[in-house]
Amino acid sequence: MMDTNSFQPDNAASLDDKTRGLINRRSVLGDAYRLFYRTPVHLVRGQGQYLWDADGTQYLDVYNNVASLGHCHPAVVAAVHDQMQALNTHTRYLHERILDYSDAILATMPEQIDRVMYMCTGSEANDLAIRIARAHTGGTGLIVTREAYHGTSALTSGASPALGGAQPVDATTWLVPAPDAYRVDEPDTGAWFAARIQACIDDMASKGVKFAGFLADSIFSSDGVLPGKPGFLQAALQTVHSNGGVFIADEVQPGFARTGESFWGFGRHGLVPDIVTTGKPMGNGMPVSGLMAKASVLASFSASTPYFNTFGGNPVSIAAAQAVLNVIHDENLLEHSRNVGQRLLSELRALQSRHSCIGDVRGAGLFIGLELVTNRQTKEPARALALDLIEALRNAHVLTSVAGPYGNILKLRPPLAFQNHDIDWLVGALDQCLSHLNA
Amino acid sequence: MMDTNSFQPDNAASLDDKTRGLINRRSVLGDAYRLFYRTPVHLVRGQGQYLWDADGTQYLDVYNNVASLGHCHPAVVAAVHDQMQALNTHTRYLHERILDYSDAILATMPEQIDRVMYMCTGSEANDLAIRIARAHTGGTGLIVTREAYHGTSALTSGASPALGGAQPVDATTWLVPAPDAYRVDEPDTGAWFAARIQACIDDMASKGVKFAGFLADSIFSSDGVLPGKPGFLQAALQTVHSNGGVFIADEVQPGFARTGESFWGFGRHGLVPDIVTTGKPMGNGMPVSGLMAKASVLASFSASTPYFNTFGGNPVSIAAAQAVLNVIHDENLLEHSRNVGQRLLSELRALQSRHSCIGDVRGAGLFIGLELVTNRQTKEPARALALDLIEALRNAHVLTSVAGPYGNILKLRPPLAFQNHDIDWLVGALDQCLSHLNA
């Protein structure tokens, strides 16, 4: 269900010649590639929260968390350029950058998390995390949410039901319903969710599968952006631990000040995970990812299994990652994300009062879900409207996309450079587009 | 067996304070990380084929193929810097760079290979290649050589017996002995090797496992650098195809002009593989990898399974990759690799006449294996000598390492910037170190 926002070839006739020409040339990439939008966007430049297409049209980016600080942030550009001129090699030689960064990133974590390893993608981090959880517990059974996405390797694809299509969920992967406070009619979402996890573990046991761990991002991004009440995941953590499992916090989405309330998504819940994985925003576009863990949880794997990732932890990638940490600190982006996110949330709630199709608005920091329904009582998902809306927004030069099992939730996740004055553009465009769509 | 060249903690007492301090700080990375050498090297700068440590000592790099053009090549540095200032985003928007590069990289391939996809690491490329082979054939059985290394993801680790230790080989992975013309006493290595592959396929069938494919790099790097006679792999390709399997050429090691005789390692053999994977040298240090395939082989996977790699094919990584292609062309590095490699090979063979411990010298372009034995008749591997030798070379400021199932083969694989005058340094150091070791 991830990929409801994608160009369909039968829409090619409506495109201008240049766009159609580029799309035709993409046949060389094979059929697994997807483009956003009925009318794809041909981007050539980015700065901060803005992108420009080949015609010079400026767009407001309300979607991309890879360029998390902002597109082409000068501090990251300079750090990479300086290090690329000096040295770029691997971790089998000594280098100070990786050690300084390791100290810095672990200083953002609970003290129990005292080890860090480096890869290039979030997929690689989650792939390794699952292997570490299995080595530590001796189990294989993994629990993820029903619309989770955790990566594109063989192992992580099998733990990513959001991929849908022909990608099967592994036999050792159990699916738990997401803690969706809007749709699950329970007074205590946390207790309800923990009970669902326990039911999965019990089902595993009945089938002779030993529980290894629970893997989730704390904002349940592809399940539809479900921040929930701070702290509600503590019950899930307790359930995982009381059953001998490992709690893996996938911070590829909510990490690096995104949720405004704490540097890491799990921090909103006061959790101490066993393993933390990162990716997209870590290097502001440089391919770098990491895995942080308690030494005791890492021990079984690392004592027995060599792990070497050629590009992982190279000085250039680490220079980018260090610049990201510095900028988050220097520009007070955690506080900024919280403040601008709160104002955006409140303006979206005001918009909700004018458009009955907006069933729910929820978020933490600059990570907001806007759920569209055909009827607020039945909460029937307005999937077609959501697709029409993101296309209308694209034509109003605001870029975002959809999430959730029904594809009816707008995922609003701009670069952290997003400012209060951008709210006017975004909310104004939403208002106009919804009015135009009679919604 | 990969990791015989690694620092052991009980050697810490012999180190200077600064080195020991850095090593102690590395405990934060956990126990899976390894350092090269009994006395690790603390590098701070690289240029071309040279590296410098923190004390300003210059080293000749005869090992690293990530900085394949040469460390900090200015054309790659400039290309990355320019693109980082303009835009770095993903493949769900249109961008021309990826299309121009795709055309350029496919132009280096046999025309039957007409599709290309992008990832960040060789592991990700091989992980996907195995999935594509399985989707295309409906089989699961994979054949790799006995000391192969194909990656660090869960799937590719299970196809990497070189990892040794506690890393099990997957139940669907069959191991074939490497085509080692030095140790296998057969008149036709190619026919012998093809017969061994057929034996694996027959064994699979007897166990109810359907054959999916054969995965190898054509220079059998971690099996000990086994270039063999050009063309000898054609029999293996025929065997793979006549059994309905997919031939995957892992070009992470021999690709990008490395072997001197053709741009790709498989080109030395006049092969047309079904899938080609790349990695390390593709971006001269920028994390970028690729998978090229025949459209017909890719079709089953890509028609049914979405694949999106967030960082894969981003404009900055592609800018690096394009610069690499341009430099290989502009600096005639294929011809250079062939010419300098031939001269190095001939000087190493002259050295062999003076040192009886050198059992074999073999190579293609700037990828050379120097095999050490205790006795030329019995060919008993001189593993301890090889470890002493690379340490002595390190102390003579020449960096290389060992390969092969016995760890007795020096892997000489310098950046392509390596020049004729560097041969004197390398061969002189080898001569002196071997004499000093009484070998």
Side-chain angles (χ1 to χ4, degrees):
Chain A
M1 203 51 54
M2 281 188 83
D3 218 345
T4 50
N5 170 21
S6 63
F7 171 73
Q8 300 299 325
D10 56 13
N11 203 41
S14 70
L15 303 176
D16 65 67
D17 287 351
K18 183 159 188 204
T19 302
R20 193 165 53 240
L22 288 172
I23 290 171
N24 287 342
R25 288 184 66 195
R26 274 173 65 106
S27 65
V28 77
L29 302 176
D31 294 329
Y33 277 74
R34 299 282 182 277
L35 281 166
F36 276 151
Y37 301 116
R38 295 167 194 159
T39 301
V41 186
H42 175 197
L43 296 175
V44 297
R45 191 159 74 84
Q47 201 67 47
Q49 65 276 46
Y50 304 117
L51 291 160
W52 284 265
D53 70 14
D55 296 327
T57 303
Q58 183 178 358
Y59 294 78
L60 177 63
D61 183 357
V62 192
Y63 185 71
N64 289 295
N65 71 328
V66 171
S68 184
L69 308 176
H71 293 279
C72 305
H73 194 289
V76 180
V77 174
V80 167
H81 190 53
D82 288 352
Q83 186 59 49
M84 277 195 84
Q85 292 175 291
L87 179 69
N88 191 13
T89 187
H90 54 76
T91 54
R92 281 176 167 152
Y93 306 115
L94 290 166
H95 200 271
E96 284 184 280
R97 266 202 185 280
I98 190 173
L99 302 174
D100 293 343
Y101 181 76
S102 296
D103 293 345
I105 195 77
L106 289 176
T108 68
M109 295 262 165
E111 64 181 346
Q112 297 96 319
I113 298 178
D114 54 0
R115 293 291 183 270
V116 54
M117 300 172 71
Y118 298 97
M119 307 87 217
C120 299
T121 67
S123 298
E124 289 191 329
N126 282 330
D127 192 287
L128 181 60
I130 296 169
R131 295 168 70 200
I132 290 169
R134 287 175 172 172
H136 179 66
T137 61
T140 56
L142 186 72
I143 301 174
V144 301
T145 52
R146 272 199 193 143
E147 199 66 19
Y149 176 76
H150 294 294
T152 195
S153 70
L155 180 58
T156 55
S157 290
S160 295
L163 287 169
Q167 175 58 52
V169 170
D170 279 346
T172 51
T173 300
W174 263 250
L175 303 183
V176 69
D180 183 343
Y182 178 60
R183 291 179 178 277
V184 173
D185 188 20
E186 292 282 340
D188 183 341
T189 309
W192 173 85
F193 188 55
R196 300 286 78 67
I197 291 171
Q198 184 64 56
C200 284
I201 297 169
D202 294 345
D203 189 53
M204 279 181 198
S206 77
K207 294 179 169 75
V209 173
K210 187 174 176 190
F211 177 47
F214 171 71
L215 168 59
D217 80 85
S218 61
I219 200 158
F220 301 91
S221 173
S222 64
D223 285 281
V225 189
L226 307 169
K229 284 186 189 156
F232 91 82
L233 275 175
Q234 287 190 6
L237 179 75
Q238 284 161 18
T239 298
V240 169
H241 281 172
S242 67
N243 287 276
V246 166
F247 191 105
I248 307 169
D250 178 343
E251 290 283 339
V252 171
Q253 297 285 345
F256 293 96
R258 171 60 52 186
T259 65
E261 292 167 36
S262 65
F263 191 88
W264 299 106
F266 63 76
R268 272 187 78 236
H269 296 284
L271 302 180
V272 181
D274 300 297
I275 303 176
V276 177
T277 55
T278 67
K280 299 190 203 304
M282 186 173 176
N284 211 52
M286 179 63 53
V288 55
S289 69
L291 179 148
M292 297 70 151
K294 296 175 181 170
S296 59
V297 171
L298 187 58
S300 295
F301 178 86
S302 60
S304 62
T305 313
Y307 184 87
F308 175 66
N309 187 308
T310 300
F311 299 133
N314 75 67
V316 172
S317 294
I318 295 293
Q322 183 69 62
V324 168
L325 277 193
N326 295 349
V327 169
I328 291 173
H329 179 265
D330 296 348
E331 298 185 4
N332 291 312
L333 289 181
L334 180 60
E335 189 184 353
H336 175 80
S337 175
R338 181 168 63 247
N339 292 341
V340 180
Q342 277 173 354
R343 182 164 157 198
L344 175 55
L345 207 54
S346 99
E347 298 222 11
L348 291 170
R349 284 181 175 142
L351 192 71
Q352 185 180 19
S353 69
R354 301 199 294 281
H355 295 279
S356 63
C357 65
I358 302 178
D360 195 34
V361 180
R362 54 195 179 242
L366 282 168
F367 206 156
I368 291 175
L370 185 102
E371 179 148 7
L372 301 176
V373 293
T374 58
N375 179 310
R376 284 194 185 172
Q377 273 63 53
T378 65
K379 301 182 180 177
E380 174 79 17
R383 180 175 176 172
L385 173 64
L387 288 176
D388 287 343
L389 178 58
I390 58 169
E391 197 73 21
L393 285 168
R394 174 248 176 274
N395 294 328
H397 311 139
V398 173
L399 301 179
T400 186
S401 193
V402 291
Y406 313 108
N408 66 316
I409 298 153
L410 264 63
K411 186 157 70 172
L412 305 176
R413 186 190 50 180
L416 299 181
F418 191 86
Q419 301 295 330
N420 279 329
H421 61 80
D422 298 311
I423 295 177
D424 302 337
W425 185 351
L426 169 60
V427 177
L430 274 167
D431 197 7
Q432 283 198 319
C433 292
L434 284 171
S435 298
H436 191 74
L437 292 164
N438 293 313
Chain B
M1 203 50 55
M2 281 188 84
D3 220 344
T4 50
N5 170 21
S6 63
F7 171 73
Q8 301 299 326
D10 56 13
N11 203 41
S14 70
L15 304 175
D16 65 68
D17 288 351
K18 183 159 187 202
T19 303
R20 194 167 50 241
L22 288 171
I23 291 171
N24 288 342
R25 288 184 66 195
R26 275 173 67 106
S27 65
V28 77
L29 302 174
D31 294 329
Y33 277 74
R34 299 282 181 277
L35 280 166
F36 277 151
Y37 300 117
R38 295 168 194 158
T39 301
V41 186
H42 175 197
L43 296 175
V44 298
R45 190 160 75 83
Q47 200 69 46
Q49 65 277 45
Y50 305 117
L51 291 160
W52 285 264
D53 70 13
D55 297 327
T57 302
Q58 183 178 359
Y59 293 79
L60 178 62
D61 183 358
V62 194
Y63 185 72
N64 289 294
N65 72 328
V66 170
S68 184
L69 307 177
H71 293 278
C72 304
H73 195 290
V76 181
V77 174
V80 167
H81 191 53
D82 287 353
Q83 186 60 48
M84 276 195 85
Q85 292 174 291
L87 179 69
N88 191 14
T89 187
H90 54 78
T91 54
R92 282 177 166 152
Y93 305 116
L94 291 166
H95 200 271
E96 285 185 280
R97 266 201 186 279
I98 191 173
L99 302 174
D100 293 343
Y101 181 77
S102 296
D103 292 346
I105 195 76
L106 289 175
T108 69
M109 295 262 165
E111 63 181 348
Q112 297 95 321
I113 298 176
D114 54 0
R115 293 290 182 272
V116 53
M117 299 172 71
Y118 298 97
M119 308 85 217
C120 299
T121 67
S123 298
E124 289 192 330
N126 283 329
D127 192 287
L128 181 61
I130 297 169
R131 295 168 70 198
I132 290 169
R134 288 175 171 171
H136 178 66
T137 61
T140 57
L142 187 71
I143 301 174
V144 301
T145 53
R146 274 199 193 142
E147 200 65 20
Y149 176 75
H150 294 294
T152 196
S153 68
L155 179 58
T156 57
S157 290
S160 296
L163 287 169
Q167 174 59 53
V169 170
D170 279 346
T172 51
T173 300
W174 263 250
L175 303 184
V176 70
D180 183 343
Y182 177 61
R183 291 180 178 277
V184 174
D185 187 22
E186 292 282 339
D188 183 340
T189 309
W192 173 86
F193 188 56
R196 298 288 78 69
I197 290 171
Q198 185 64 55
C200 284
I201 298 169
D202 294 345
D203 189 53
M204 279 180 199
S206 77
K207 295 180 168 74
V209 173
K210 187 174 178 190
F211 177 48
F214 171 70
L215 168 60
D217 80 85
S218 61
I219 199 157
F220 301 92
S221 174
S222 63
D223 285 281
V225 188
L226 308 169
K229 285 187 188 157
F232 92 82
L233 275 176
Q234 287 189 7
L237 180 75
Q238 283 161 20
T239 300
V240 169
H241 282 171
S242 67
N243 286 276
V246 167
F247 190 104
I248 307 168
D250 179 343
E251 291 283 339
V252 171
Q253 297 285 344
F256 293 96
R258 170 61 53 185
T259 65
E261 295 167 33
S262 65
F263 192 88
W264 299 105
F266 63 76
R268 272 187 79 236
H269 297 285
L271 303 179
V272 181
D274 301 298
I275 303 176
V276 178
T277 54
T278 68
K280 299 192 204 303
M282 186 173 176
N284 210 53
M286 179 63 53
V288 55
S289 69
L291 179 148
M292 297 70 151
K294 296 175 180 169
S296 58
V297 172
L298 187 57
S300 294
F301 178 86
S302 60
S304 62
T305 313
Y307 183 86
F308 175 65
N309 187 307
T310 300
F311 299 132
N314 74 68
V316 171
S317 294
I318 295 293
Q322 184 68 62
V324 168
L325 277 193
N326 295 348
V327 169
I328 290 173
H329 179 266
D330 296 347
E331 298 184 6
N332 291 312
L333 289 181
L334 180 60
E335 190 184 353
H336 176 79
S337 175
R338 182 168 62 245
N339 292 341
V340 180
Q342 276 173 354
R343 181 163 157 201
L344 176 55
L345 207 53
S346 102
E347 299 222 11
L348 291 171
R349 285 182 174 142
L351 191 70
Q352 186 180 17
S353 69
R354 301 199 295 280
H355 296 279
S356 64
C357 65
I358 302 179
D360 195 33
V361 180
R362 56 195 178 241
L366 282 168
F367 204 156
I368 291 176
L370 186 102
E371 179 148 6
L372 301 177
V373 293
T374 58
N375 179 308
R376 284 194 186 172
Q377 274 62 53
T378 64
K379 301 182 179 176
E380 175 78 17
R383 179 175 174 171
L385 174 63
L387 288 176
D388 287 343
L389 178 57
I390 57 169
E391 197 72 21
L393 285 168
R394 174 247 176 274
N395 293 329
H397 311 139
V398 173
L399 301 180
T400 185
S401 193
V402 290
Y406 314 109
N408 66 316
I409 298 152
L410 264 63
K411 187 157 71 172
L412 305 176
R413 187 191 51 181
L416 300 181
F418 191 85
Q419 301 295 329
N420 279 330
H421 62 80
D422 298 312
I423 294 176
D424 301 337
W425 184 351
L426 168 60
V427 177
L430 274 166
D431 197 7
Q432 283 198 316
C433 291
L434 284 171
S435 299
H436 192 73
L437 292 165
N438 293 313

